[in-house]
Amino acid sequence: MGCNILYAIFAITRFTLLEARRNRLVWLFLLLLAVAIALAVFMGSIAITESQAIRTSVLAAVLRIFAVFLLSLYVITSMVREINDKGMELTLSLPVSRTSYFFGKLSGYSMIAVLVSVSIGLTLVFYAPFFQVFLWTISLFFELLIITALCLLCVFTFTQITVAITAVTVFYVLSRTIDAIQLMSREPLIDPDSLPQVFITRSIDLLAYVLPDLYRFSPSEWLIYPNTMTGQILPIAVQTVIYLVLLVAAGLFDLYRKNL
Amino acid sequence: MHRYQERSVKALPVWIPILLTVAMTAQIIWHMHRPDPIAHFHRLTPPPVQSVLEMMSLGDPVAMSKILMLWLQAHDNQPGISVPFRQLDYSMLIHWLEAILKLDPRAHYPLLAASRVYGEVPDAEKQRQILAFVAREFQKDPDHRWPWMAHAVYIARHKLKDEQLALKYARLLADKARGENVPGWAKQMHIFLLEDMGEIESAKILLGALLESGQIEDPNEQAFLYQRLAELEGKRGQTGRQ
């Protein structure tokens, strides 16, 4: 029984990777990589000082956004197509549980996240010390893992590309900026004790509770300044595990509720 | 678009809602134990070179200028911190204002901010720096930028209490801003400053010259200035008798 589940997960993972290989995702990623490198080299060349630091931080920031953008678009469009083409129904008509299907898809897309992270890491090795790049790449992988699970959840919840992409974008932007939003809400310019202001501050604090602190993930300062990542990777790993379990549980909740 | 009907929550395996509840609780507990975000003061860095700013504007430098001005204005209100003007690096601030003005030379905002906002800083050195910037930029388009120069005269006279600097700026205003749109009071500021400083003779000569030059065409304004001239004559007489 356990072997069958693992076999099903492995088979779905393999087909997910095969699909990625066949639809030219690799070429698109390589193209984006080249664009990011060109942009970073250009920015570094016009800097009067700290050109290496500018090059590295611009490259890391641009590649991180590219990775999140590319992976979320790919996961959402691929899953929606599979649902619309009845691929999911066909798979689930076989002796494959919904849990196996979900984990098969998640592990397939996670493998793509590994490949994307490693490629970005290998690019950055030319611009920053190896150990710093190594930790940064792990952190980027964790970030992509959360985004992948979120995309699956959004697809099972909304089953529409536009709504799912919008939801993922809003989630990502909020998770990356929630610390700044919290600080701004605590230091309002006018009347901090007014009822609407207190309500806004409390609502933002509440929102921060249910969002992962992505703003702590893979900052470019890790690549530029030594020792800035000390003690950072463990909390990031814990946050990833907790949030991944949450997203998986929510995704399975929605998948199991679907009446196929 | 295929739309699935949803099954009852009872149809779910029991472990899924339990896992969901446990994970949500863990997330909340985790968040409670994470340190609060800390506010950091970010210093102003030098602006990029003008060509880069223009490139970043994607062909719309005016819009870029407006966005940068709002960003610069918000710099003293960083997330979680309200930074006093005294702590701002005025050299960097001036570099940014210059860059913003170059993107949109017709804009009033950078000079308004310089003279009326940043000029109010309770630090004489910084005030002189920002007033010098206003005076420099005023000379590039005097008929358009005279209001900010007039305010610079006010700051120099009443906030800095530096009469010589105020007089220098007022003379600059009178010399450069000669357009029809520039009101008489702005062109005559140096005369009244001289009067204020007790330089009655100089003020009288300047006012007389102004009236004789024919620049003042409005009868009411002429009458007002003749009245001021008479008053100056009276003051001079009193001074002479003393």
Side-chain angles (χ1 to χ4, degrees), chain B residues 151-170:
Chain B
H151 196 74
V153 174
Y154 160 78
I155 299 267
R157 172 73 182 88
H158 295 286
K159 302 277 175 175
L160 266 176
K161 314 260 185 231
D162 185 338
E163 289 174 336
Q164 290 306 324
L165 187 68
L167 186 62
K168 181 181 149 192
Y169 287 160

Side-chain angles (χ1 to χ4, degrees), chain A residues 171 174-175 178 206-213 239 243, chain B residues 27 31:
Chain A
F171 174 92
L174 271 177
S175 301
I178 192 70
L206 204 62
L207 187 65
Y209 272 98
V210 292
L211 288 173
D213 38 11
Q239 170 68 96
Y243 216 79
Chain B
Q27 166 66 22
H31 182 83

Side-chain angles (χ1 to χ4, degrees), chain A:
Chain A
M1 180 66 182
C3 242
N4 283 347
I5 292 174
L6 281 179
Y7 180 74
I9 291 175
F10 176 74
I12 295 167
T13 304
R14 192 170 153 267
F15 279 104
T16 308
L17 283 171
L18 204 61
E19 185 195 348
R21 190 166 72 88
R22 285 182 180 163
N23 73 2
R24 298 174 189 170
L25 186 69
V26 178
W27 292 111
L28 178 62
F29 178 68
L30 289 178
L31 180 70
L32 289 179
L33 207 61
V35 170
I37 292 170
L39 182 71
V41 169
F42 172 66
M43 296 290 268
S45 68
I46 55 176
I48 296 166
T49 180
E50 294 187 329
S51 56
Q52 180 68 7
I54 289 172
R55 214 173 284 138
T56 310
S57 58
V58 169
L59 187 60
V62 171
L63 284 177
R64 188 180 55 224
I65 290 176
F66 275 173
V68 170
F69 173 74
L70 190 74
L71 195 69
S72 52
L73 266 184
Y74 176 69
V75 173
I76 290 170
T77 51
S78 150
M79 278 305 299
V80 169
R81 191 176 60 244
E82 183 153 325
I83 291 170
N84 290 340
D85 293 350
K86 313 286 184 197
M88 186 171 84
E89 289 177 29
L90 180 69
T91 311
L92 292 177
S93 67
L94 301 168
V96 173
S97 70
R98 295 185 188 211
T99 309
S100 303
Y101 177 78
F102 186 92
F103 279 109
K105 280 289 168 191
L106 181 63
S107 62
Y109 293 130
S110 302
M111 290 293 170
I112 299 172
V114 171
L115 293 175
V116 169
S117 311
V118 170
S119 312
I120 291 175
L122 287 175
T123 310
L124 287 170
V125 158
F126 294 101
Y127 296 90
F130 177 79
F131 186 63
Q132 287 166 249
V133 173
F134 175 67
L135 289 184
W136 189 90
T137 307
I138 291 175
S139 172
L140 175 69
F141 170 64
F142 287 155
E143 187 171 342
L144 294 180
L145 211 53
I146 290 178
I147 293 298
T148 306
L150 176 77
C151 289
L152 280 177
L153 167 66
C154 288
V155 169
F156 290 134
T157 308
F158 304 118
T159 61
Q160 287 182 30
I161 293 178
T162 315
V163 183
I165 288 174
T166 308
V168 170
T169 309
V170 169
F171 174 92
Y172 185 69
V173 171
L174 271 177
S175 301
R176 276 236 155 245
T177 54
I178 192 70
D179 61 328
I181 297 172
Q182 268 185 297
L183 288 171
M184 278 192 274
S185 72
R186 287 173 195 170
E187 279 281 328
L189 291 175
I190 40 170
D191 201 5
D193 298 324
S194 69
L195 197 61
Q197 188 56 51
V198 171
F199 176 74
I200 290 168
T201 309
R202 294 280 172 272
S203 306
I204 290 169
D205 286 344
L206 204 62
L207 187 65
Y209 272 98
V210 292
L211 288 173
D213 38 11
L214 286 186
Y215 56 89
R216 296 183 205 270
F217 284 53
S218 44
S220 40
E221 67 170 3
W222 287 12
L223 299 169
I224 301 168
Y225 307 112
N227 304 324
T228 43
M229 76 289 277
T230 315
Q232 300 282 321
I233 200 77
L234 188 64
I236 285 175
V238 174
Q239 170 68 96
T240 306
V241 170
I242 291 172
Y243 216 79
L244 204 58
V245 174
L246 177 65
L247 290 170
V248 166
L252 283 171
F253 189 95
D254 272 356
L255 180 59
Y256 268 92
R257 286 200 68 199
K258 292 209 180 303
N259 204 1
L260 302 175

Side-chain angles (χ1 to χ4, degrees), chain B residues 190-192 194-195 198-212 225-226 228-237:
Chain B
H190 60 303
I191 298 170
F192 301 120
L194 282 170
E195 183 189 344
E199 303 274 348
I200 309 292
E201 189 58 36
S202 307
K204 196 179 86 60
I205 293 167
L206 280 170
L207 193 53
L210 183 69
L211 283 165
E212 278 177 25
L225 290 178
Y226 275 119
R228 294 291 303 198
L229 189 61
E231 283 170 14
L232 287 177
E233 294 277 11
K235 276 188 188 172
R236 195 182 64 154

Side-chain angles (χ1 to χ4, degrees), chain B residues 9 11 23 29-30 36 46 73 85 101-102 131 134 137 149 158 174 182 194 196 208 216:
Chain B
V9 177
I29 292 170
W30 173 253
D36 258 3
Q73 185 190 297
F85 286 156
L101 258 181
K102 276 184 192 160
L131 292 186
V134 173
E137 292 300 328
M149 193 66 223
H158 295 286
V182 184
L194 282 170
D196 247 14
I216 312 295

